[in-house]
Amino acid sequence: MPQVAILMGSQSDEPAMEKAAEVLEEFGVEYDLEVISAHRTPEKMVEFVRDAPGRGVRVFICGAGLSAALPGAVAAHTDLPVIGVPLDAALDGLDSLLSIAQMPPGVPVACVGVNNARNAAYLAISILSLHDDVIAESWAAFREQQRR
Amino acid sequence: MPQVAILMGSQSDEPAMEKAAEVLEEFGVEYDLEVISAHRTPEKMVEFVRDAPGRGVRVFICGAGLSAALPGAVAAHTDLPVIGVPLDAALDGLDSLLSIAQMPPGVPVACVGVNNARNAAYLAISILSLHDDVIAESWAAFREQQRR
Amino acid sequence: MPQVAILMGSQSDEPAMEKAAEVLEEFGVEYDLEVISAHRTPEKMVEFVRDAPGRGVRVFICGAGLSAALPGAVAAHTDLPVIGVPLDAALDGLDSLLSIAQMPPGVPVACVGVNNARNAAYLAISILSLHDDVIAESWAAFREQQRR
Amino acid sequence: MPQVAILMGSQSDEPAMEKAAEVLEEFGVEYDLEVISAHRTPEKMVEFVRDAPGRGVRVFICGAGLSAALPGAVAAHTDLPVIGVPLDAALDGLDSLLSIAQMPPGVPVACVGVNNARNAAYLAISILSLHDDVIAESWAAFREQQRR
Amino acid sequence: MPQVAILMGSQSDEPAMEKAAEVLEEFGVEYDLEVISAHRTPEKMVEFVRDAPGRGVRVFICGAGLSAALPGAVAAHTDLPVIGVPLDAALDGLDSLLSIAQMPPGVPVACVGVNNARNAAYLAISILSLHDDVIAESWAAFREQQRR
Amino acid sequence: MPQVAILMGSQSDEPAMEKAAEVLEEFGVEYDLEVISAHRTPEKMVEFVRDAPGRGVRVFICGAGLSAALPGAVAAHTDLPVIGVPLDAALDGLDSLLSIAQMPPGVPVACVGVNNARNAAYLAISILSLHDDVIAESWAAFREQQRR
Amino acid sequence: MPQVAILMGSQSDEPAMEKAAEVLEEFGVEYDLEVISAHRTPEKMVEFVRDAPGRGVRVFICGAGLSAALPGAVAAHTDLPVIGVPLDAALDGLDSLLSIAQMPPGVPVACVGVNNARNAAYLAISILSLHDDVIAESWAAFREQQRR
Amino acid sequence: MPQVAILMGSQSDEPAMEKAAEVLEEFGVEYDLEVISAHRTPEKMVEFVRDAPGRGVRVFICGAGLSAALPGAVAAHTDLPVIGVPLDAALDGLDSLLSIAQMPPGVPVACVGVNNARNAAYLAISILSLHDDVIAESWAAFREQQRR
């Protein structure tokens, strides 16, 4: 049962976003990975987001470039935590970084660094660790080793 | 019957967006003006956008600050032309300008200048002029006078 | 009879702007494509813009990099809708994006994303759809397919 | 017992960060609020961060302007989720936004918008909701009301 | 007989541009000062620019904010040196600075600093000094005094 | 006898700045071309600048990247017009563009676009044209041909 | 005998730069404070810089806005450490920050934050502490108290 | 005995930071060179910084990209001068430049240009020159030769 849903706005975002998947795999966290656009396939997106909790999803990771509406659009339709990954499709990713970080009050998105899908996965793991002792232990071990 | 729908993401956007309304009034163009957020009230937005053509709407003008998802979200649900007005809620409006302009291919938004709701209205009028001789005449007269 | 005029400031802009032409062709929309500079050939530009309506042109698409004066200069001489495409000739296209978007009130230009000539064409098509049922049908079908 | 620790780099950040506290109070979530600087009082910070889990803290909210090292420095010393709030002390907050968002892989920080301490609190609530049914219910009710 | 023509895109630019006039007066250089917009009154602009050499104008000083097309548009129609003054109407004047500086090869504009109309006048004086001994003497005296 | 002095801060700037030389050659304008740094060889620079008028120099063209102090430093020591060319050594040349354009009142520099040494030469030619009929004729012919 | 020379490009920089003086006074470090412009009074500057070591100066603190050439120009003429303070005269100080930080290799300047003259003084004190036990003791005490 | 400690946040920073080492070697200045991350190995960092003075270190040179917390984190734990080198890992290094330059008052860092590790070394040498006559002589000779 997937605990994390990795979404991206375009097929071309897949190489960047697969790094999130790799990190989740290292921690044994199951995930869905889908290409769904807030702008091109908005209904498919809403449907996916609404069904996600029923499938076990606890955290969304959404990567997008340019206008980067996906993380915010997902956040608009879910109460689960949403992590946004700005992708560098133009302007060094400054456009997507601002689009993702500057959400209006009441609809939060957790923005990570440009192209930093790995950190989105680590952030998801830190969140899941709060109520999953197995993940928490792996996460603590990872951090411990990193600190040495 | 409204030909233009003026939408804005937040009540606080109204002073800036009313300038679009004023321009439309000068040209005798009827309009709806609504506060609807892509992030906070996404379903209400979709409903409004879908019903708009039936009410006579031919062009959308959407003002938003920060992440400024509204113009793109409206464009995702309509085939009508969508004009986006980036509002200066932070960072001199650079965040909203990029969010509105940098749409992905296939879902166009016509971006005007920061806080420039008047130009959004003028752009709408130039579009309506293509198939409305009365508006076209007023528009030509306005431009003619401006050029002198 | 061309319904859209695609203009660009320099020969080197042609690869980027041909994407607008390709989109228009997919929709069976005829177009002119010309290299005309607001700065180097201003009179030729004015002449072209003034004659365009007589040739059937309803919408201008103008691509330019750097100072990117072309869209605004065309808008100064026509009452037809003008779509501007900022091209990335320097500074990631931020210079041309600002030059095109930040038009003064009364002379609107519809700015799309950096290098996004395709969206300029889609925007033109959404405008033409308001008074051309054949284009409207193709446009609706395109959007419908995209949404699936 | 505090579930959230609100930290800020300077006394002058308090008006901005109190908005996070207000949101948490509306949801009945207890919190610590401390002025602790990563640069001026690094040892006090490390001590606070290490003791926090023992006091019940599950999520950190860290506000900082300028170099804005606090969120990252807290993240370096904890495995708990860390939310960073860039504050506008200079350059419209662009400096702090980049400092907080652009963390290196392996040490994630969840960045929210400039001065948007409220969204930091909402994000914390969405995280706590994953394992606290009372908060989850309030959060769902808040979102539900917002969507209407 | 005016040796310098000071043009500005909008009435609201006058306080900023009058500083150029003040400097010219200190040096006894006659000037025209006109509000002429490249976007709103393009024909009036072309006419003015073409007639200027006949009236004695040797240098243009053009102030504009936002898209700031005026200096480039004047340069397109004259072979005389054109000095552009970016005015801070939005985005701290970065938009107008880039619009004025980033001219295409072959149509040069001499850009000075944001709101720095005085330097535009000093630059004009340094140019006129090359072939006017009276101005040259005043200019040398001014610089000499400044250097002390 | 050189009428223009082309200076550049570093040997690595030569490919970019030679374009200015090429343009001057096309117009038969003699020039000096020297690598002189305001930061590394300040005395050599002052000496060169002071001697230049005696050698016939009427206009300086100074290219520099990064901090780009050369144009301003030359302007500090001469009353002749100084044209600055920002070179793209980092940050897309935004650093040098701002360093060159944002001169303090009283010490003007004429800034052209990033890497646009050709426009610096054209600007120099338009200045020399004011008092040299041969250059003026070539310049007018060049512009005339360009406009066609 | 002054150990630090505080220079600034313009009289209007004095309020910002006096904060450096205040810090130095707290540590009992003597200083010169002069208004000297790299652009307007270059010879006076060179003279001052050359004489400074003889008067006891060990460190320069140079504040400047806009093009902000002063720190680099001082560095060009001295082998002593030079600290640059970018002042916010325009563009939020981004222009002066880049002008001061982006020095060419071989002529280093130590850049501190925008308007942060106090940090320039603290940095000077940390440098003087390396060979002055009295200052070192005060500095250590200040830092120790700050850390508590 | 190392007089300078060169630290960098990541192994990938080594090619850029070795240029600082090369410069120090040319001046016969001994140095430590270590990969230590403020975010990943904060305790190792604190330990290293605290032990450094005992090993003879007088100046720190810290290179980092992205959030670039290392220079500030080192400064938080030492009273010695700290020089920060922003590295271009994203956004042309603008993120790290701002993170390093915009330190809060009381914890100074001397920022040099993006990727300009050589200038960090030269700055360190100018500081060491204040109390080391051998280095001072080499430094003066280097500068003297550079000025010729």
Side-chain angles (χ1 to χ4, degrees):
Chain A
M1 213 160 76
Q3 296 198 62
V4 176
I6 304 175
L7 305 183
M8 65 206 74
S10 150
Q11 195 69 43
S12 60
D13 300 336
E14 200 154 351
M17 295 308 295
E18 265 171 3
K19 307 218 158 155
E22 286 166 26
V23 168
L24 294 178
E25 281 171 25
E26 287 167 20
F27 285 84
V29 174
E30 288 182 53
Y31 59 89
D32 279 354
L33 189 150
E34 295 277 334
V35 176
I36 289 185
S37 166
H39 286 132
R40 280 180 292 239
T41 57
E43 288 175 25
K44 194 175 146 198
M45 183 203 74
V46 173
E47 212 173 301
F48 182 94
V49 172
R50 288 207 179 129
D51 292 352
R55 282 201 315 282
V57 170
R58 315 295 303 262
V59 179
F60 285 94
I61 293 175
C62 303
L66 303 169
S67 282
L70 186 64
V74 168
H77 288 93
T78 188
D79 301 348
L80 296 175
V82 177
I83 301 167
V85 185
L87 299 177
D88 171 14
L91 288 162
D92 289 339
L94 189 65
D95 47 3
S96 44
L97 175 63
L98 294 175
S99 296
I100 291 174
Q102 292 287 74
M103 290 291 293
V107 190
V109 164
C111 186
V112 295
V114 176
N115 292 334
N116 204 337
R118 286 170 64 195
N119 259 9
Y122 290 125
L123 184 58
I125 284 163
S126 79
I127 292 170
L128 295 174
S129 290
L130 293 177
H131 55 93
D132 183 321
D133 289 348
V134 177
I135 296 175
E137 220 165 296
S138 304
W139 175 234
F142 169 82
R143 295 301 308 277
E144 194 50 38
Q145 181 181 7
Q146 192 186 42
R147 287 190 185 103
R148 265 186 246 133
Chain B
M1 210 160 77
Q3 296 199 62
V4 176
I6 303 176
L7 305 183
M8 64 206 75
S10 150
Q11 196 68 45
S12 60
D13 301 336
E14 199 153 352
M17 294 308 294
E18 264 171 3
K19 306 216 160 157
E22 286 166 26
V23 168
L24 294 178
E25 281 171 23
E26 288 165 20
F27 285 84
V29 175
E30 288 183 55
Y31 59 88
D32 279 354
L33 189 151
E34 294 278 334
V35 176
I36 289 184
S37 167
H39 286 131
R40 281 180 292 239
T41 56
E43 289 176 25
K44 193 175 148 199
M45 182 204 74
V46 173
E47 211 173 303
F48 182 95
V49 172
R50 288 207 179 130
D51 293 352
R55 282 201 315 283
V57 170
R58 315 293 305 259
V59 179
F60 285 95
I61 293 175
C62 303
L66 304 169
S67 283
L70 186 63
V74 168
H77 289 93
T78 188
D79 302 347
L80 296 174
V82 176
I83 301 167
V85 186
L87 299 176
D88 171 13
L91 288 161
D92 289 340
L94 189 65
D95 47 4
S96 45
L97 175 63
L98 294 175
S99 296
I100 292 174
Q102 293 288 72
M103 290 292 292
V107 189
V109 165
C111 186
V112 295
V114 176
N115 292 334
N116 203 339
R118 286 171 64 198
N119 259 9
Y122 290 125
L123 184 58
I125 284 162
S126 78
I127 292 170
L128 295 174
S129 290
L130 293 178
H131 56 92
D132 182 323
D133 290 347
V134 178
I135 296 175
E137 220 165 297
S138 305
W139 175 233
F142 169 82
R143 295 301 306 278
E144 193 50 39
Q145 180 180 7
Q146 192 187 44
R147 287 191 185 104
R148 264 186 244 136
Chain C
M1 212 162 76
Q3 297 199 61
V4 176
I6 304 177
L7 305 183
M8 65 205 74
S10 150
Q11 195 69 43
S12 60
D13 301 336
E14 199 153 351
M17 295 308 294
E18 265 171 3
K19 306 217 160 158
E22 286 167 26
V23 168
L24 294 178
E25 282 172 23
E26 288 166 20
F27 285 85
V29 175
E30 287 182 54
Y31 59 90
D32 279 353
L33 190 150
E34 294 277 335
V35 176
I36 290 184
S37 167
H39 286 130
R40 280 179 292 238
T41 56
E43 288 176 26
K44 193 176 146 197
M45 183 203 75
V46 173
E47 211 174 303
F48 182 94
V49 171
R50 288 208 179 128
D51 292 351
R55 282 202 315 282
V57 170
R58 315 295 304 260
V59 179
F60 285 94
I61 293 176
C62 304
L66 303 169
S67 282
L70 186 64
V74 169
H77 288 93
T78 188
D79 302 347
L80 296 175
V82 177
I83 301 168
V85 186
L87 298 177
D88 171 15
L91 288 162
D92 289 339
L94 189 65
D95 47 5
S96 45
L97 175 63
L98 294 175
S99 296
I100 292 174
Q102 294 288 74
M103 290 291 292
V107 190
V109 165
C111 186
V112 296
V114 176
N115 293 334
N116 203 339
R118 285 170 64 195
N119 259 9
Y122 290 125
L123 184 58
I125 284 163
S126 78
I127 291 170
L128 295 175
S129 289
L130 293 177
H131 56 92
D132 183 322
D133 290 347
V134 178
I135 295 175
E137 220 165 295
S138 304
W139 175 234
F142 169 81
R143 295 300 308 278
E144 193 51 39
Q145 180 180 6
Q146 193 187 43
R147 288 191 185 103
R148 266 185 245 132
Chain D
M1 210 161 76
Q3 296 198 63
V4 176
I6 303 177
L7 305 183
M8 65 205 75
S10 151
Q11 196 68 44
S12 60
D13 301 335
E14 198 153 352
M17 294 308 295
E18 265 171 3
K19 306 217 160 157
E22 286 167 26
V23 168
L24 293 178
E25 282 172 23
E26 288 166 20
F27 285 85
V29 174
E30 288 183 53
Y31 59 90
D32 279 353
L33 189 150
E34 294 279 335
V35 176
I36 289 185
S37 166
H39 287 130
R40 280 180 291 239
T41 57
E43 289 176 26
K44 194 175 147 198
M45 183 203 74
V46 173
E47 212 173 303
F48 183 94
V49 171
R50 288 209 179 128
D51 293 352
R55 283 201 316 282
V57 170
R58 316 292 306 258
V59 180
F60 285 94
I61 293 176
C62 304
L66 303 170
S67 283
L70 186 63
V74 169
H77 288 93
T78 188
D79 301 348
L80 296 175
V82 176
I83 301 168
V85 186
L87 298 176
D88 172 13
L91 288 162
D92 289 339
L94 189 65
D95 47 4
S96 44
L97 175 63
L98 294 175
S99 296
I100 292 174
Q102 292 288 73
M103 290 291 291
V107 190
V109 165
C111 186
V112 296
V114 175
N115 293 334
N116 203 338
R118 285 171 64 198
N119 260 9
Y122 290 125
L123 184 58
I125 284 163
S126 78
I127 291 170
L128 295 174
S129 289
L130 292 178
H131 57 94
D132 183 322
D133 290 348
V134 178
I135 296 175
E137 220 165 296
S138 304
W139 174 234
F142 169 82
R143 295 301 307 278
E144 193 51 38
Q145 181 180 7
Q146 192 187 42
R147 288 191 184 103
R148 263 185 244 134
Chain E
M1 210 160 77
Q3 297 198 62
V4 176
I6 303 177
L7 305 183
M8 62 206 76
S10 150
Q11 195 69 44
S12 60
D13 301 336
E14 199 154 351
M17 294 308 295
E18 265 171 3
K19 305 216 160 157
E22 287 166 26
V23 168
L24 293 178
E25 283 172 23
E26 288 166 19
F27 284 84
V29 174
E30 287 183 55
Y31 58 89
D32 279 353
L33 189 150
E34 294 279 334
V35 176
I36 289 185
S37 166
H39 286 131
R40 280 180 292 239
T41 56
E43 289 175 26
K44 194 175 147 198
M45 182 203 75
V46 174
E47 212 173 303
F48 182 95
V49 172
R50 287 207 180 130
D51 292 352
R55 282 200 315 283
V57 170
R58 316 292 305 259
V59 179
F60 286 95
I61 293 176
C62 304
L66 303 169
S67 282
L70 185 63
V74 169
H77 289 92
T78 188
D79 301 347
L80 296 174
V82 177
I83 301 169
V85 185
L87 298 176
D88 171 13
L91 288 161
D92 288 339
L94 189 64
D95 47 4
S96 44
L97 175 62
L98 294 175
S99 296
I100 292 173
Q102 293 288 73
M103 289 293 290
V107 190
V109 166
C111 186
V112 296
V114 176
N115 293 333
N116 204 339
R118 285 171 64 197
N119 259 9
Y122 290 125
L123 184 57
I125 284 162
S126 78
I127 291 170
L128 296 174
S129 290
L130 293 178
H131 56 94
D132 182 323
D133 290 347
V134 178
I135 297 175
E137 218 165 297
S138 304
W139 175 234
F142 169 82
R143 294 300 307 278
E144 194 50 38
Q145 180 179 9
Q146 192 186 44
R147 286 192 186 103
R148 262 184 245 138
Chain F
M1 211 161 77
Q3 297 199 61
V4 177
I6 304 176
L7 306 183
M8 64 205 76
S10 151
Q11 195 69 43
S12 61
D13 301 336
E14 199 154 352
M17 294 309 293
E18 265 170 5
K19 307 218 159 156
E22 285 166 26
V23 168
L24 293 178
E25 282 171 24
E26 289 166 19
F27 285 84
V29 174
E30 287 181 56
Y31 59 89
D32 278 353
L33 190 150
E34 294 278 335
V35 176
I36 289 186
S37 166
H39 287 131
R40 280 180 292 238
T41 56
E43 288 175 26
K44 194 176 146 197
M45 183 203 74
V46 173
E47 211 173 302
F48 182 94
V49 171
R50 288 207 180 129
D51 292 351
R55 282 201 314 284
V57 169
R58 316 294 304 261
V59 179
F60 286 94
I61 293 177
C62 303
L66 303 170
S67 282
L70 186 63
V74 169
H77 289 91
T78 188
D79 302 347
L80 295 175
V82 177
I83 302 169
V85 185
L87 298 177
D88 171 14
L91 289 162
D92 289 340
L94 189 65
D95 47 4
S96 45
L97 175 63
L98 294 174
S99 296
I100 292 173
Q102 293 287 76
M103 290 292 291
V107 190
V109 165
C111 186
V112 296
V114 176
N115 293 334
N116 203 339
R118 286 171 64 196
N119 260 8
Y122 290 125
L123 184 57
I125 285 163
S126 77
I127 292 170
L128 295 175
S129 290
L130 294 176
H131 56 93
D132 183 322
D133 290 348
V134 178
I135 296 176
E137 220 165 297
S138 304
W139 174 234
F142 169 82
R143 294 301 307 276
E144 193 51 37
Q145 180 181 8
Q146 193 186 44
R147 288 190 185 104
R148 265 186 246 134
Chain G
M1 210 161 75
Q3 297 198 62
V4 176
I6 304 177
L7 305 183
M8 64 206 75
S10 150
Q11 195 68 44
S12 61
D13 302 335
E14 198 153 352
M17 294 309 294
E18 266 172 2
K19 306 216 160 158
E22 286 166 26
V23 168
L24 293 178
E25 283 172 23
E26 288 166 21
F27 285 83
V29 175
E30 287 182 57
Y31 59 90
D32 278 353
L33 189 150
E34 294 278 335
V35 177
I36 289 185
S37 166
H39 286 131
R40 279 179 292 239
T41 56
E43 288 175 26
K44 194 174 148 198
M45 182 203 75
V46 173
E47 211 173 303
F48 182 95
V49 171
R50 287 208 181 130
D51 293 352
R55 284 201 314 283
V57 170
R58 316 293 305 259
V59 179
F60 285 95
I61 293 176
C62 304
L66 303 169
S67 282
L70 186 63
V74 169
H77 288 93
T78 188
D79 302 346
L80 296 174
V82 177
I83 302 169
V85 186
L87 298 176
D88 171 14
L91 288 162
D92 289 339
L94 189 65
D95 47 5
S96 45
L97 175 63
L98 294 175
S99 296
I100 292 173
Q102 293 287 73
M103 289 292 291
V107 190
V109 166
C111 186
V112 296
V114 176
N115 293 333
N116 203 339
R118 286 171 63 197
N119 260 9
Y122 290 126
L123 184 58
I125 284 162
S126 77
I127 291 169
L128 295 175
S129 290
L130 292 178
H131 55 95
D132 183 323
D133 290 348
V134 179
I135 296 175
E137 218 165 298
S138 303
W139 175 234
F142 169 81
R143 295 300 307 277
E144 193 51 38
Q145 181 181 7
Q146 192 186 44
R147 288 192 184 103
R148 264 184 244 135
Chain H
M1 212 160 77
Q3 298 199 61
V4 177
I6 304 176
L7 305 184
M8 63 205 77
S10 150
Q11 195 67 44
S12 60
D13 301 337
E14 200 154 351
M17 294 308 294
E18 264 171 4
K19 307 217 159 156
E22 287 166 26
V23 169
L24 294 178
E25 282 172 25
E26 288 166 20
F27 285 84
V29 175
E30 288 182 53
Y31 59 88
D32 278 354
L33 190 151
E34 294 278 334
V35 176
I36 289 186
S37 166
H39 287 131
R40 280 180 293 238
T41 57
E43 288 175 25
K44 194 176 146 196
M45 183 203 74
V46 173
E47 212 173 301
F48 182 94
V49 171
R50 288 208 179 128
D51 291 353
R55 282 202 314 283
V57 170
R58 314 295 304 262
V59 179
F60 285 95
I61 293 176
C62 304
L66 303 169
S67 282
L70 186 63
V74 169
H77 289 93
T78 188
D79 302 348
L80 296 174
V82 177
I83 301 168
V85 185
L87 299 177
D88 171 14
L91 288 161
D92 289 339
L94 189 65
D95 47 4
S96 45
L97 175 64
L98 294 175
S99 296
I100 292 174
Q102 293 287 74
M103 289 292 292
V107 189
V109 165
C111 187
V112 295
V114 176
N115 293 333
N116 203 338
R118 286 170 64 196
N119 259 9
Y122 291 125
L123 184 57
I125 284 162
S126 78
I127 292 170
L128 296 175
S129 290
L130 293 177
H131 56 94
D132 183 322
D133 289 348
V134 179
I135 296 176
E137 220 165 297
S138 304
W139 175 234
F142 169 82
R143 294 302 307 277
E144 193 51 37
Q145 181 180 8
Q146 192 186 43
R147 287 189 186 107
R148 265 185 248 135

